[in-house]
Structures are given as structure tokens and as C-alpha cells.
Amino acid sequence: MMNTFVVYVENKPGVLTRVASLFRRRAFNIDSLTVGRTEKPEVSRMTITADADRDQARRIEANLYKLVNVLLVENITNQPAIVRDLAMIKVAATHEARSHVLELASVFRARVVDVAPDSLTIEITGAEDKIDGLLEVLRPYGVLEMVRTGIVAMRRGSKSPNMAATASNFAQVVADDDVSYSV
Amino acid sequence: MTKTGAQILWECLERERVSHVFGYPGGAILPAYDALKHSKIHHVLVRHEQGATHMADGYARAGGEVGVAVATSGPGATNMVTGIATAMLDSSPIVCITGQVGSKLIGSDAFQETDITGVTLPITKHNYLVTHASELARTIREAFYVARSGRPGPVLVDITKDAQQTSCEFDWEAAKPQLPGYRPDLSPDAKEYEQALELIQKAKRPVILAGHGIIVSGAMQDVRTFAERTGIPVALTLLGIGAFPASHPLNLGMMGMHGEAWVNHTIQEADLLLAFGMRFDDRVTGNLKTYAPNARKIHVEIDPAEINKNVKVDVALVGDLREVLHELLPHVNTVDRSEWLDFIDQLKGDAAVRDIQNLPDNGHLYAAHVINDLWRETRDADTIVVTDVGQHQMWEAQYYKHDRARSLITSGGLGTMGFALPAAIGAKVARPEAEVWAIVGDGGFQMTMAELATVVQENLKVNIAIINNGFLGMVRQWQEFFYERNYAATPLLNPDFVKLGEAYGIRSVAVTQRSEVVPAVQAARRHDGPVLINFKVEQEDTVYPMVAAGASLHEMIRRPSPIVETAADE
Ligand SMILES: Cc1cc2nc3c(=O)[nH]c(=O)nc-3n(C[C@H](O)[C@H](O)[C@H](O)COP(=O)(O)OP(=O)(O)OC[C@H]3O[C@@H](n4cnc5c(N)ncnc54)[C@H](O)[C@@H]3O)c2cc1C
Ligand SMILES: Cc1ncc(C[n+]2csc(CCOP(=O)(O)OP(=O)(O)O)c2C)c(N)n1
Ligand SMILES: [Mg+2]
């Protein structure tokens, strides 16, 4: 089962290597990993998806906590969360195909970001399956190039992570009661 | 006060209670060596950086304080890798200091540049690259804190040459560790304690699995109180040996691959396992599918990542063992376990009364006899035995009866040949008042025997017992069992170890007869200087019993006869 972890780490050189190396060393399989800045300059945030059963997922969490630079790990797999992936897709679009491709893009609320004589580049943000869906329908026209960022995720609701009271919750599934849903 | 990075380094080490470091100089660490003259720390010059790491490890395991090894960049640093990995797998607190090329040269493939933080990333608990003198004090403080707290382990601090040379303001107080994500102090919650107590109350056939974590935690007395109050028998891992007295009536002995059959059968028959600071290594469990099938399991363990790693447990008490036992002790009570203990006694059978001292040797010199005799001679002293890896290591575990924690030091998890001699040096430095014996195979001894020079140079009274069987014995044993006695690359051509010892100025003797063992040991103990004894033992001797790798714990290859071991078994 695919698990999604949000990992807060100290923003220091080499921390990404430590996290990646951990997954390699323990033979856990990373499906996607993104890393970026957060509201705090000293903290970076990673979203990692990995295929793991419940026990393995706990061990991944516990092992992440063993890295001295890891501040907080949240397994948000079973939590209400906003999950987004961004893709850029370059599609072959000659004169007659062009309008079809544009139509499909608009159905998926994707944007055209570059136009060339025989291709269009489409940018789409959304949950992974939405992007998979767009890719599926574009494929017959000829996908010339594609890149995806891998997902970033955030729990819904006003609760923000409490980095002071963490590590011990490695095995607990956080119960979130004040959830607000948005579109 | 303004100081150079090099001065700050030594001052910080002093403040971390370091009295000795084990090291080897070179270009990138020279500024640090130059500043050593201002320090009270005694530097032990080793003969190979691997030796320095094992010495630091032996120092840590014998005395409980963090051991320190120092090396230069490049080859000096890479020579430390084996020792670091050894300390990592056995949770031993060491700090390795390496010099690094100047910070401006990093990444340029400069002379003797190795990315040692990259190389050691998976084999350290944590590591650091320090490029500014101003980062040094806090880094050293963090390194020691990380190495010794929680589940201990090796920490490497790589310091660029310019960081050693430049000066900055030094303020120890201000350089407090800043480790916002590091929390070594977990503890179980009340519900988990209740669940554990309920299992303990209900158990009819419980066994304590006593591991190295007991020693790390300093929980020897608490475990003993717990065992005595509950009447639960205790089986030990190799690294747990000494955590519970061998002479205690509730002691069963070592479990696992070369544990006695009754210990493993007891575990297989148990209805509750209480794992105290042990990590269910594969040499302990055998085949996981058939491991202790009827037992509920309670795991007391400081490292959450160990929970359910190899063996799925019913209750995990994540925290320091000593603290956990303090919580449990008031709630456990005395139970009559005579039925269970009688059952175990039956498993032991006459093996329980078998005393290998009195078993006939038929004119052979058996390693088991040598070790057992050595134990009889040294049992009343404050003795530390340091073993290498192989058959002699297992015979030591079986026939030397340890009553005290930290009286056996051995490489368990990595099984590093070459460990014993340098680790014995470290142990002697940490515990000068102790009687230190290195028991080492003829193969492993030759991996680090260059450190004989260190023994002499430091004037250390370390006794070295070479169990010389002319083979890489443990590998030969596997070839005997699993490769149709095809002894490929296991017979050894050895130097004359007596002459070798003498070349270093070490009193050295050879022993070939059982009758010479005790006199040689006594003479060695009387001599006030290091002694080397070359015990020329039976060559094709076998360690029994044995659980073949991957086999179930109760499927042991048993001794072919009640006689100790046999060259005569063919
Ligand atoms: C040739 C050879 C043969 C071997 N045969 C055997 C054999 O027959 N039987 C055997 O037992 N071993 C054998 N070993 C050793 C084996 O490989 C392991 O090293 C050993 O079993 C590990 O013991 P351990 O789990 O007690 O110690 P460690 O591996 O050191 O684990 C200690 C555990 O305690 C935890 N801990 C640390 N501090 C605390 C604390 N304060 N509170 C709570 N928990 C803590 C740690 O997190 C860790 O999980 C053999 C090794 C070799 C080389
Ligand atoms: C550095 C290293 N290389 C190889 C091994 C594999 N190995 C395990 S035991 C052993 C034989 C040890 O021989 P010796 O030191 O003579 O001890 P004996 O088994 O004969 O008592 C070997 C080669 C190892 N454990 N460590
Ligand atoms: Mg040998």
C-alpha cells in the first residue's frame, strides 16, 4: 500500500542524502520524494511516498526518527489531506489535433504554457490520478516529453504540526478531530 | 577567550572527560597534533587506524565512557571504516575525529581527500563535517551527547585543516548542543505497562532474554531483582553475557546459534519471552517462521526501530531498560515456577552436571579446556576477557563463566576479526586495575597483530592467548558441515608466534599439552608485563551445538558424543 509521509527536517547540508540513504540502506522503496522550504527558514519539508504495509510504515517512521536531523514525521496516508502533483506534458499537436488537445486540457483544468508549431506544453496540478487521467487521454496524440514533480501534501484543517512533542508518537496514528474540508 | 580550532578540539575533549585518545597523525590532522602539547590528554600512537577504532571501542565497552579515535584524512579515515561499522552494530559509543583537506579544496580531489562523512553515513549514528573553528565546540559536544545517549553508537567528526588552524572565540557554556529533532528519552505509557504486567502475571512458562542493552542501561541489579522476584529464568545473548551472573541458579546460559540445546528448547517451549535490551539478531532466533511459536512477546527496547523488525511482539515498552524495570518491579510478585523450572532441568539432563574440566582429553589439547582452565584460574580476579571472532569466541562464550557485566568484550554484530588485540588494549587503558586477557584465533590475530608494538610502547599488562588451530577454524567448520569438507583457503601458514612476540619484547611461550595450561596461565599472571601464550590446540575441532544458518532454533547439530569435542568425530 502506498504511504505518504510528511517529514520535517533541519535545513542543513546533507540532510536529503541522509534520508535517501536510509531508504536505500533499509531496502524501503521510495516512490517519490520532494523537498522544499517551509514557513520556517531553518526547517525543510519533505513529502515521501513509499510502498509499505502497516508494520513497514511504522518502521520507516521509526527509522526516520533515528536520523538526528529529522524533526517530525507524519504518516498522513489515512488522513484527510491535500495532495498535489505537478506535471508538464509536451504533446505532439499538429494543426488538426491542436483543438482536440486544447479541449482536453480545459476539461482537466490544465493550462497551456508553451505553444510551438507542432507541439503544445501543458501544465497540470492536481492529485496523482487526475494527472494520470490527463496523460491517458493525451497519449494517443503523442507525448513527446513529460515531467512530474512528485507529490507534496498537507493535512487539512487548522492543526499545524507540533515539533516539540513528537518522536514518541512514532507508533501512534494521529487522531485529527478538527478537520475542515475544502474543494 | 580566543583559541585555535585545534586547541578548542582538545579542550572540548577534556571537558567531555576524555583522558586517552587512540590515533595516528597525518597532514590534514597535523594542526590538532601540534596543539596536543597543551593538553592533559594522553595520546596512544597506534599502528593502524583500524586499531585505533577498536581500542576506542574496547575502552568504551570496558569503562562505559565514550572512546575516542583520531586519524588523518583520506587513507587514515578510510582505515577507520571497519572499526566504525563494528561499533555501530554493537551500539558502542565512540567518537572518531578525522582531519580533512582545507575547506576551499573540498570537492577538488585534493591530495588525501576522501568524502569520509559520505563514506561513513550509513555506519555512524551521526556524523559531521566542520569547516569553521567556530562550529567546533558545539559539534564536539553534540558528538559526545549523541554517541552516549539513547542507543549509543559511533559519531564521526571530520574537521578541515583550516578549521583547526583558524582562531575564534571559545565559550564552552554557549556551545550547548542544539539537536531539536533528537529525542533519546522515550518512555512507555501506562497502558503499555498494564498490558505487559498482565502478560507477565498470566505466563506459565516465561523466559527473560537478556541482551547487551542491560549493560548499556546499567540495569544488571534490576534485572536480577526482577528475575528473582518473579522466578523467571534468564537466557543471554552473546553480548548480554555478564549482564546476569553465570553462577546464578536462574541463569540458563547463551541462546542462539551456539547456545546450549536446552536454552534454545526452553525458548521454543516458552509461553512468554521478555526481551530486555536485545534485538533478536538472526544468530539468536534462527528461522523466524518457527521461532518461539507459542510465546507472547514483550520487548523492552530503547530504539523504536527495533520493534517488530525481526520478531513481531505483543507489547513494546520503548524506553531505557532501567527506568522501565523500575516501573514494573513494584507490580510483579513471586510466583511458584517449580513446574517450569523442573521441565527446564529435564531438558538439561545430565548436561547440567557435566563439567568439561573432568572430561577426558585423551592426550589432545582442546580449546574448550584451555578456556575453561583459564576461567578457573582467573575467575576470582577482576578479569576482562576480550575475544576475537571465530570458534575460540564461541568456546569462550560457552566455557568462560562470566559473573560481571563488561567482563566480556567481543564483536558480535559485525563479527570483526582483528578486534581482540586492539580492543584489549583499549580495555586495559580504560580499566588499568583489571586483568585483561585477549583470546584470539591464529587468523584474526594476524589481522591486527601490529598493535603488539602499541602494547609494548604503552607498557600495558595485556595477556594474549592465541588459540592456534592452524585454520580459519569457524570457516573450516562451515566447510565441514555444509561444503563436504572442502577446506578451500582455510588452512593457515602461521609465523612462529613465540618468536614474533619476543621480537616485540613480549614474554612469549607455546603450550602444547593440557598439563602446561595452568602453569602457563599462572606464570603469565605473575609476570609484570604483557605475555603471549601460543596454545597449539586440536586442529579440526568443532563448536557444538550449532543451529545451521536459517534452521529452526530447536534443530541443533548436537555434540556427537558427551566428550567435549572431537577431532575424533570422523
Ligand atoms: C561467530 C559468531 C557467532 C555468534 N553466535 C551467537 C549465538 O550463538 N548467540 C548469540 O546470542 N549471539 C551470537 N552472535 C552475536 C550476534 O551476532 C549478535 O551480536 C548478538 O546476538 C547481539 O546481542 P544483543 O541483541 O544483546 O546486543 P546488541 O546487538 O548490542 O543489541 C542491544 C539492543 O539493546 C538496545 N538497548 C541499548 N541500550 C538500551 C537501554 N538503555 N535500554 C533498553 N534497550 C537498550 C539496543 O537498541 C539494541 O537493540 C554471534 C556472533 C558471531 C561473530
Ligand atoms: C574481517 C573478517 N574477515 C572474514 C571473516 C569471516 N570469518 C569468520 S570466523 C573466521 C575464521 C577465524 O579464524 P581464526 O581467527 O583462526 O579463529 P578460529 O575460528 O580458528 O578460532 C573467518 C575467516 C570475519 N569474520 N572477519
Ligand atoms: Mg584458527
Side-chain angles (χ1 to χ4, degrees):
Chain A
M1 166 187 168
M2 208 49 86
N3 282 261
T4 306
F5 301 93
V6 176
V7 186
Y8 301 80
V9 299
E10 288 183 82
N11 180 9
K12 285 188 173 166
V15 177
L16 176 60
T17 319
R18 288 178 198 277
V19 172
S21 165
L22 167 73
F23 277 77
R24 178 189 52 80
R25 177 160 79 90
R26 296 282 177 194
F28 300 134
N29 218 345
I30 296 187
D31 186 66
S32 96
L33 187 159
T34 58
V35 56
R37 287 192 293 264
T38 66
E39 72 284 4
K40 298 193 187 87
E42 70 281 8
V43 177
S44 307
R45 177 170 172 145
M46 297 180 182
T47 308
I48 303 174
T49 54
D51 191 18
D53 63 27
R54 200 180 152 84
D55 266 348
Q56 282 170 325
R58 284 186 179 178
R59 282 198 10 252
I60 289 176
E61 236 179 287
N63 274 289
L64 282 165
Y65 272 125
K66 284 177 76 161
L67 300 177
V68 167
N69 303 119
V70 168
L71 300 167
L72 175 69
V73 185
E74 292 179 317
N75 184 345
I76 62 164
T77 310
N78 295 317
Q79 308 219 3
I82 310 150
V83 179
R84 292 293 180 266
D85 191 1
L86 181 148
M88 290 193 278
I89 309 163
K90 190 176 286 178
V91 202
T94 46
H95 188 65
E96 59 274 23
R98 194 167 290 251
S99 59
H100 293 147
V101 171
L102 284 170
E103 212 168 287
L104 287 170
S106 86
V107 170
F108 279 84
R109 296 198 203 156
R111 293 197 304 144
V112 174
V113 288
D114 189 49
V115 181
D118 42 17
S119 74
L120 288 174
T121 303
I122 295 168
E123 176 199 304
I124 177 168
T125 313
E128 283 186 298
D129 50 356
K130 175 174 161 190
I131 297 177
D132 293 343
L134 176 61
L135 263 177
E136 187 80 3
V137 297
L138 289 180
R139 206 157 265 137
Y141 298 91
V143 172
L144 304 174
E145 215 180 303
M146 195 272 286
V147 62
R148 290 170 79 153
T149 57
I151 67 163
V152 291
M154 189 176 277
R155 279 206 283 151
R156 290 180 187 272
S158 53
K159 222 180 204 172
S160 60
N162 174 7
M163 266 173 243
T166 50
S168 60
N169 69 9
F170 77 97
Q172 280 153 235
V173 181
V174 187
D176 192 340
D177 38 18
D178 70 29
V179 180
S180 82
Y181 292 90
S182 59
V183 256
Chain B
M1 197 185 172
T2 304
K3 291 189 182 228
T4 65
Q7 289 167 335
I8 292 172
L9 169 66
W10 297 117
E11 173 147 2
C12 288
L13 293 185
E14 280 177 27
R15 286 175 185 259
E16 292 291 350
R17 307 196 291 273
V18 175
S19 58
H20 292 73
V21 299
F22 306 93
Y24 208 86
I29 192 76
L30 258 185
Y33 273 86
D34 189 50
L36 192 50
K37 58 179 180 277
H38 304 298
S39 169
K40 292 193 282 289
I41 291 174
H42 179 79
H43 178 272
V44 175
L45 177 66
V46 303
R47 292 300 180 273
H48 187 294
E49 292 86 349
Q50 179 186 351
T53 51
H54 293 326
M55 288 178 209
D57 191 342
Y59 177 95
R61 296 195 208 198
E65 289 282 356
V66 178
V68 179
V70 183
T72 191
S73 66
T78 54
N79 271 350
M80 290 180 136
V81 166
T82 301
I84 294 172
T86 304
M88 183 71 175
L89 271 196
D90 288 350
S91 300
S92 187
I94 67 172
V95 168
C96 295
I97 310 278
T98 49
Q100 180 55 281
V101 301
S103 56
K104 302 233 158 41
L105 291 173
I106 284 182
S108 72
D109 299 327
F111 179 64
Q112 295 195 329
E113 181 189 1
T114 299
D115 170 16
I116 198 63
T117 45
V119 169
T120 59
L121 191 137
I123 54 167
T124 47
K125 186 170 169 188
H126 193 52
N127 64 23
Y128 295 89
L129 170 63
V130 179
T131 54
H132 290 97
S134 59
E135 301 161 7
L136 206 46
R138 185 163 60 83
T139 307
I140 297 291
R141 288 188 71 170
E142 287 184 7
F144 275 80
Y145 176 58
V146 169
R148 62 161 72 100
S149 56
R151 177 178 187 169
V155 178
L156 179 131
V157 182
D158 195 25
I159 311 172
T160 58
K161 200 167 179 181
D162 48 329
Q164 299 166 47
Q165 287 164 323
T166 49
S167 296
C168 72
E169 200 56 31
F170 172 63
D171 182 351
W172 170 264
E173 285 308 320
K176 288 208 172 60
Q178 285 170 20
L179 296 161
Y182 181 64
R183 279 178 203 83
D185 45 0
L186 305 175
S187 45
D189 59 33
K191 203 174 92 226
E192 290 163 330
Y193 278 120
E194 276 165 35
Q195 291 169 339
L197 285 166
E198 198 182 312
L199 289 183
I200 295 168
Q201 239 102 62
K202 279 202 234 141
K204 294 269 178 292
R205 299 190 307 280
V207 189
I208 292 169
L209 307 181
H212 187 205
I214 298 172
I215 299 169
V216 175
S217 174
M220 285 73 72
Q221 189 52 51
D222 309 277
V223 171
R224 190 171 170 166
T225 311
F226 185 94
E228 285 170 356
R229 195 173 294 170
T230 56
I232 301 179
V234 180
L236 301 157
T237 66
L238 175 66
L239 295 186
I241 287 177
F244 190 78
S247 56
H248 196 285
L250 285 170
N251 175 62
L252 297 174
M254 184 171 77
M255 65 183 96
M257 181 177 271
H258 292 294
E260 291 298 341
W262 72 76
V263 188
N264 291 337
H265 281 302
T266 301
I267 291 168
Q268 293 299 75
E269 293 293 328
D271 68 355
L272 177 67
L273 300 183
L274 293 128
F276 288 172
M278 56 82 74
R279 62 182 174 87
F280 293 106
D281 183 271
D282 50 79
R283 297 222 151 177
V284 160
T285 60
N287 186 346
L288 286 171
K289 289 203 185 73
T290 53
Y291 181 66
N294 308 317
R296 311 295 290 271
K297 286 138 195 137
I298 299 174
H299 198 177
V300 186
E301 165 62 62
I302 203 161
D303 178 0
E306 288 297 338
I307 306 298
N308 294 332
K309 186 181 77 176
N310 297 337
V311 170
K312 230 175 133 43
V313 297
D314 299 276
V315 179
L317 300 176
V318 177
D320 173 59
L321 180 68
R322 216 166 136 231
E323 286 176 22
V324 171
L325 288 180
H326 280 188
E327 289 293 325
L328 290 176
L329 270 172
H331 306 288
V332 295
N333 34 36
T334 315
V335 182
D336 174 28
R337 306 226 178 255
S338 47
E339 203 176 315
W340 175 225
L341 295 176
D342 287 348
F343 174 81
I344 296 171
D345 277 343
Q346 271 167 30
L347 287 177
K348 284 187 190 172
D350 58 354
V353 293
R354 200 189 56 191
D355 182 345
I356 76 146
Q357 189 193 24
N358 302 322
L359 288 173
D361 52 45
N362 303 326
H364 298 278
L365 181 61
Y366 290 112
H369 275 148
V370 171
I371 285 161
N372 200 243
D373 288 350
L374 179 63
W375 166 64
R376 281 168 207 284
E377 289 304 307
T378 58
R379 58 191 293 183
D380 296 326
D382 174 13
T383 310
I384 298 176
V385 179
V386 186
T387 57
D388 215 76
V389 171
Q391 291 186 311
H392 65 281
Q393 180 189 28
M394 292 299 109
W395 283 314
E396 199 283 344
Q398 294 175 337
Y399 298 118
Y400 197 107
K401 310 290 177 189
H402 291 269
D403 274 343
R404 281 169 303 105
R406 302 188 187 279
S407 68
L408 169 59
I409 295 173
T410 195
S411 165
L414 202 66
T416 307
M417 286 172 68
F419 175 80
L421 178 60
I425 293 173
K428 184 69 184 174
V429 169
R431 297 270 327 278
E433 71 289 1
E435 177 174 338
V436 174
W437 283 85
I439 299 182
V440 51
D442 45 338
F445 179 65
Q446 292 182 71
M447 285 198 167
T448 51
M449 66 187 179
E451 304 304 343
L452 286 175
T454 313
V455 172
V456 176
Q457 161 199 294
E458 298 297 318
N459 194 18
L460 296 171
K461 166 73 179 146
V462 172
N463 302 309
I464 301 155
I466 301 177
I467 305 298
N468 180 355
N469 54 10
F471 273 101
L472 298 174
M474 186 56 95
V475 179
R476 188 206 58 73
Q477 173 167 342
W478 283 49
Q479 291 169 329
E480 174 187 334
F481 285 158
F482 313 118
Y483 294 88
E484 286 138 9
R485 297 183 192 232
N486 173 21
Y487 294 159
T490 43
L492 285 172
L493 173 72
N494 289 327
D496 181 333
F497 290 119
V498 170
K499 278 193 185 149
L500 182 86
E502 283 167 351
Y504 283 97
I506 294 174
R507 178 183 288 194
S508 306
V509 292
V511 167
T512 53
Q513 305 279 323
R514 176 86 193 273
S515 59
E516 300 163 4
V517 174
V518 170
V521 168
Q522 286 172 346
R525 300 185 72 205
R526 277 195 307 271
H527 179 60
D528 124 64
V531 174
L532 180 155
I533 309 176
N534 180 15
F535 289 103
K536 294 189 172 172
V537 299
E538 207 42 45
Q539 296 219 326
E540 296 187 31
D541 195 355
T542 307
V543 180
Y544 291 108
M546 177 174 184
V547 181
S552 297
L553 202 53
H554 52 274
E555 293 165 4
M556 304 201 79
I557 305 171
R558 302 290 290 268
R559 288 185 182 81
S561 75
I563 307 206
V564 192
E565 333 286 20
T566 69
D569 69 329
E570 54 235 279

